[in-house]
Amino acid sequence: MQEKGTISIHTENIFPIIKKFLYSDNEIFLRELVSNAVDATQKIKRLASLGQYNGELGKLQVEVALDAENKTITISDNGLGMTADEIKKYINQIAFSGATEFMEKFKEAKDANEIIGRFGLGFYSAFMVADVVEINTLSYQEGAEPARWTCDGSTEFEITEGSRTTRGTDIILHVNTESEEFLNKQRLQEILDKYAKFLPVPIKFGTNEQQEEDGQDEEGKPKYKTVETDNIINETNPIWTKSPNELKDEDYLNFYKELYPFSEDPLFWIHLNVDYPFNLTGVLYFPKLKNDYEFQRNKIKLFSRQVFITDEVKDIVPEFLMLLHGVIDSPDIPLNVSRSFLQADSNVKKINSYITKKVADKLAELFKADRKAYEDKWNDIGLFVKYGFISDDKFYEKAKDFVLLNNTAKETFTLNEYKEKVEATQTDKEGRLVYIYTNDPDKQDAFIQSANRKGYDVLLMNSPIDNHFVSHLEQKLDKTSLKRVDADVADKLINKEDAPEHILTEEQSTQVKTIFDSAINKPAFKVELESLSPDELPVTVTMDEFMRRMKEMAAMGGGMGFYGQMPDNYKVVVNANHKLITRILSEENTDTRAQLAKQAFDLALLSQGLLTGAELTEFVNRSVSLI
Ligand code: ADP
Ligand code: MG
């Protein structure tokens, strides 16, 4: 048997192009060839179970062998093998059409990166690293003859009689000069660890030496001998392929350690398992968050039938769950298309909402089963929950029952519980609820104490996401607004009928305003007189809630550029009913008057950490002289 032929395609020679553009990702040749070998063993097993193959199956295995001297890498399997005709069909025609399709896509794509590394080139990826590729194979079929195919990366191939005497296939790569990095044992081991670690058939790569006890020497001490054992690089039944009721907590924790050896134990996990309307298995872990959570992204590994594909799951996992760890395995995720296709893919969308639902259900279950334990974990999971609450409406629908609010008294509430708690005290005269919060309990302590004195509760909103969380709560909660505790004086935070009486006449009020205006003398500070209860502070400096939020959004790049350019504007609320104001009015010396007014103003700044530098020194000196 000898045959020469030409692979007919329009493009004269596509391999140089494949080589060039897939260069950055050329290690995937091993993934492709090893998974083909695994497929071949799975197919013979299936044929046997269908009664279409009655010979010995033997121990199904794939072997990767490196011969650095002869510059070859061989991938062997005892799968179903191929006849010469099948090589022509599957390798020359079909596999080649895959490569041709790649070329088509490549021509269409605006950006080569869009397809590189996403497009499984299958068998022909071998030519990324090899000048010559050989297939040496013997089909399982009765009376089949061994066949050999060789191709030097041009469009010419040759089929001759092969030399295999047992069922299966060897793919022999004659590694090219640019790819000699792959003739290194460590490098190959590393690639196998990355892509083949959980393949369902044992993959052997060389041997390991081990010391084994071998009788005793004359003094009765144990003797050792060196034995060689196969180096099997993979675990054929990783936990996500098992059913949850076969598994103990320990198994999940061990698997986590294996994936992320340097991480702390996870908080909890979710076992994913669907087969309709798409296929998906996996285990997602909630990690203990570190402060540098920006760097903890891309911790979810995507597999397709136990072959590692990528750890960039951006479009498959909802954005707010990108901080989770673990594995997802689905043959239904298209692996060989560009990003934009992936986003539009209906399976990907369904997978996205399935994962969202599963995570929400798990959180609801944890909350219900053990509220205390859930609260203890809130520090770590609060960020996910709030992020999901804000960014995903379906998640919001469930999360509104288990999102928690903390107040400054370290108490914890659900949204409903909190509403019940403050309804009686914090409803304004229009019937709107006003929730009061602080984002910096130290700086805003004076305001918090004033609010508490009025019987108001103050929520703690000091995590990085709380800015957005606050606006979202306001959008979602019925007839409710949120105000930062320093947005106004406590008396004015919630508009009620019961305003305290005025003790100053109109003329006196104007006089006080003038005294303060000239004492402060800064355009950014606008003085206003309010009749507050006499035990409130004499002077309070506040920034309007709306203005402050707009500026914060501008600072975070929220497109509020105009507000970003506005100078800070503060309101200086002078409490007309405070006895210090009465004293200032009755003071005859205009200098002392101005000094007292300035002193009261500086005190307000000081209590909010706004007084620094030379102004602080001046304040201290003035205090000494006033005493
Ligand atoms: P795919 O694996 O997606 O079908 P490939 O280009 O990787 O595409 O392989 C093309 C075809 O070549 C396979 O479908 C299979 O029929 C055949 N093939 C490749 N490798 C082997 C192998 N080791 N044993 C038997 N058949 C093989
Ligand atoms: Mg393949």
Side-chain angles (χ1 to χ4, degrees):
M1 162 170 88
Q2 168 139 27
E3 183 178 341
K4 289 196 176 197
T6 307
I7 300 163
S8 59
I9 47 156
H10 339 286
T11 320
E12 248 311 281
N13 195 341
I14 69 164
F15 300 115
I17 300 170
I18 294 179
K19 252 185 239 173
K20 190 168 162 221
F21 286 103
L22 291 185
Y23 191 72
S24 61
D25 219 11
N26 56 2
E27 65 181 30
I28 61 149
F29 77 93
L30 197 55
R31 172 186 85 189
E32 294 300 325
L33 298 177
V34 169
S35 49
N36 280 352
V38 168
D39 288 348
T41 60
Q42 306 281 66
K43 284 177 190 163
I44 192 70
K45 202 163 139 190
R46 184 149 169 79
L47 288 171
S49 73
L50 293 170
Q52 291 173 21
Y53 172 66
N54 300 316
E56 275 296 311
L57 266 187
K59 188 173 155 250
L60 295 172
Q61 181 169 303
V62 170
E63 181 170 358
V64 177
L66 170 67
D67 183 344
E69 213 170 299
N70 291 310
K71 304 194 173 171
T72 62
I73 300 170
T74 303
I75 297 98
S76 307
D77 64 70
N78 54 358
L80 83 175
M82 284 181 277
T83 62
D85 279 344
E86 284 168 336
I87 295 179
K88 280 187 245 168
K89 189 167 158 203
Y90 297 133
I91 301 294
N92 294 347
Q93 292 166 22
I94 297 184
F96 214 82
S97 71
T100 317
E101 196 188 323
F102 166 76
M103 281 302 299
E104 292 301 318
K105 285 253 161 60
F106 171 72
K107 276 189 257 163
E108 283 166 26
K110 280 171 239 78
D111 175 9
N113 283 321
E114 228 181 77
I115 43 173
I116 287 170
R118 282 276 169 172
F119 201 94
L121 259 186
F123 175 77
Y124 276 91
S125 63
F127 288 101
M128 295 196 295
V129 299
D131 287 331
V132 175
V133 177
E134 266 178 73
I135 303 176
N136 201 5
T137 180
L138 174 61
S139 165
Y140 75 99
Q141 289 164 49
E142 256 185 55
E145 287 188 24
R148 179 197 303 275
W149 175 93
T150 52
C151 182
D152 64 0
S154 71
T155 48
E156 317 263 308
F157 68 89
E158 189 176 83
I159 296 184
T160 55
E161 197 175 312
S163 58
R164 259 198 89 116
T165 53
T166 54
R167 183 198 72 215
T169 304
D170 307 308
I171 308 287
I172 304 151
L173 308 179
H174 296 270
V175 175
N176 60 33
T177 18
E178 305 96 85
S179 305
E180 286 186 358
E181 61 169 302
F182 298 113
L183 294 171
N184 175 300
K185 196 177 165 208
Q186 266 77 44
R187 180 76 176 106
L188 286 187
Q189 176 76 44
E190 185 191 302
I191 304 172
L192 289 169
D193 278 342
K194 179 167 170 190
Y195 293 102
K197 203 171 168 61
F198 300 108
L199 281 174
V201 175
I203 317 279
K204 178 186 166 186
F205 179 52
T207 52
N208 286 327
E209 285 189 356
Q210 265 176 335
Q211 301 296 313
E212 202 172 85
E213 244 186 86
D214 183 28
Q216 293 178 340
D217 64 12
E218 289 134 37
E219 290 165 42
K221 289 189 190 139
K223 280 201 306 188
Y224 292 92
K225 67 171 175 194
T226 309
V227 285
E228 297 224 321
T229 51
D230 287 354
N231 172 31
I232 302 293
I233 62 106
N234 57 331
E235 191 181 309
T236 53
N237 289 309
I239 64 167
W240 76 85
T241 62
K242 296 179 188 168
S243 139
N245 51 30
E246 286 175 56
L247 296 162
K248 297 198 198 69
D249 286 0
E250 213 187 310
D251 300 317
Y252 289 103
L253 291 171
N254 287 339
F255 185 65
Y256 188 79
K257 281 229 163 64
E258 196 179 321
L259 291 179
Y260 317 103
F262 303 108
S263 295
E264 258 180 88
D265 278 357
L267 298 167
F268 55 89
W269 49 84
I270 301 169
H271 198 127
L272 307 168
N273 202 339
V274 249
D275 41 38
Y276 183 83
F278 51 85
N279 242 293
L280 181 88
T281 50
V283 179
L284 290 179
Y285 292 93
F286 273 70
K288 249 187 118 64
L289 285 184
K290 301 259 164 55
N291 287 331
D292 57 349
Y293 48 81
E294 276 302 315
F295 301 104
Q296 301 200 9
R297 294 176 152 256
N298 290 341
K299 288 283 194 159
I300 300 177
K301 294 171 196 281
L302 177 65
F303 290 77
S304 177
R305 295 202 172 88
Q306 295 172 240
V307 185
F308 173 73
I309 304 297
T310 176
D311 45 19
E312 279 186 34
V313 295
K314 204 161 159 272
D315 303 309
I316 293 141
V317 174
E319 169 73 20
F320 78 98
L321 294 174
M322 288 291 289
L323 294 174
L324 297 189
H325 294 179
V327 299
I328 289 176
D329 190 331
S330 174
D332 293 333
I333 297 172
L335 305 167
N336 51 359
V337 292
S338 67
R339 265 263 139 76
S340 43
F341 272 112
L342 199 60
Q343 281 166 342
D345 186 85
S346 69
N347 269 342
V348 170
K349 282 195 186 135
K350 280 182 211 147
I351 288 171
N352 227 294
S353 46
Y354 168 78
I355 293 175
T356 304
K357 180 179 175 303
K358 274 299 230 189
V359 170
D361 289 348
K362 178 75 187 189
L363 289 163
E365 175 198 313
L366 287 172
F367 175 73
K368 252 209 202 128
D370 188 346
R371 163 107 180 223
K372 170 87 179 54
Y374 180 88
E375 282 182 11
D376 290 343
K377 292 187 181 114
W378 184 247
N379 242 342
D380 293 285
I381 57 177
L383 185 76
F384 295 104
V385 177
K386 286 178 180 174
Y387 194 3
F389 184 92
I390 292 165
S391 60
D392 190 307
D393 265 345
K394 286 219 182 87
F395 187 79
Y396 164 81
E397 277 309 317
K398 303 205 172 200
K400 65 182 172 16
D401 296 331
F402 54 73
V403 70
L404 296 181
L405 302 174
N406 296 108
N407 67 5
T408 51
K410 297 197 162 66
E411 295 168 308
T412 309
F413 309 88
T414 61
L415 294 181
N416 281 336
E417 289 164 356
Y418 195 67
K419 184 175 177 210
E420 256 166 53
K421 176 182 168 72
V422 301
E423 216 159 18
T425 42
Q426 296 183 207
T427 305
D428 71 9
K429 58 184 179 193
E430 264 109 51
R432 285 185 72 83
L433 264 170
V434 181
Y435 290 0
I436 299 164
Y437 69 95
T438 170
N439 70 334
D440 190 336
D442 287 333
K443 256 194 181 167
Q444 293 154 5
D445 185 65
F447 288 97
I448 296 171
Q449 294 207 23
S450 295
N452 287 159
R453 263 200 305 276
K454 286 211 62 104
Y456 299 160
D457 190 69
V458 180
L459 289 170
L460 202 56
M461 293 287 185
N462 57 349
S463 84
I465 198 171
D466 280 337
N467 246 329
H468 297 280
F469 183 56
V470 163
S471 341
H472 206 77
L473 275 177
E474 209 166 47
Q475 276 171 38
K476 291 288 184 187
L477 298 179
D478 194 36
K479 288 181 90 180
T480 305
S481 48
L482 279 92
K483 271 194 183 165
R484 200 165 89 180
V485 67
D486 59 348
D488 217 327
V489 287
D491 272 349
K492 299 276 167 176
L493 277 173
I494 302 174
N495 256 327
K496 295 190 175 177
E497 318 273 8
D498 56 346
E501 54 175 332
H502 310 276
I503 51 172
L504 299 188
T505 64
E506 209 151 297
E507 200 193 327
Q508 285 174 315
S509 296
T510 319
Q511 206 181 345
V512 171
K513 190 172 177 323
T514 318
I515 295 171
F516 272 89
D517 267 335
S518 58
I520 295 167
N521 194 22
K522 278 188 186 135
F525 291 85
K526 220 173 125 249
V527 177
E528 275 177 33
L529 239 64
E530 304 265 11
S531 298
L532 309 175
S533 68
D535 40 318
E536 284 299 323
L537 291 171
V539 177
T540 316
V541 177
T542 64
M543 192 190 219
D544 179 65
E545 177 79 15
F546 175 76
M547 182 63 95
R548 198 202 68 243
R549 280 201 215 171
M550 290 300 147
K551 285 183 78 78
E552 279 168 0
M553 275 160 86
M556 287 168 81
M560 303 284 165
F562 163 72
Y563 289 101
Q565 285 153 22
M566 298 272 294
D568 281 346
N569 264 302
Y570 296 97
K571 193 162 94 175
V572 180
V573 179
V574 177
N575 181 0
N577 292 347
H578 195 278
K579 56 178 187 293
L580 179 67
I581 307 304
T582 327
R583 202 191 131 199
I584 289 175
L585 267 178
S586 59
E587 178 62 56
E588 271 153 34
N589 183 324
T590 45
D591 264 1
T592 318
R593 240 187 210 183
Q595 284 212 345
L596 283 172
K598 189 84 183 17
Q599 191 72 358
F601 169 68
D602 279 354
L603 261 173
L605 291 182
L606 187 70
S607 77
Q608 284 161 260
L610 291 171
L611 199 64
T612 52
E615 292 185 322
L616 179 59
T617 316
E618 197 197 315
F619 167 78
V620 173
N621 291 338
R622 194 182 329 108
S623 303
V624 174
S625 71
L626 280 171
I627 295 165

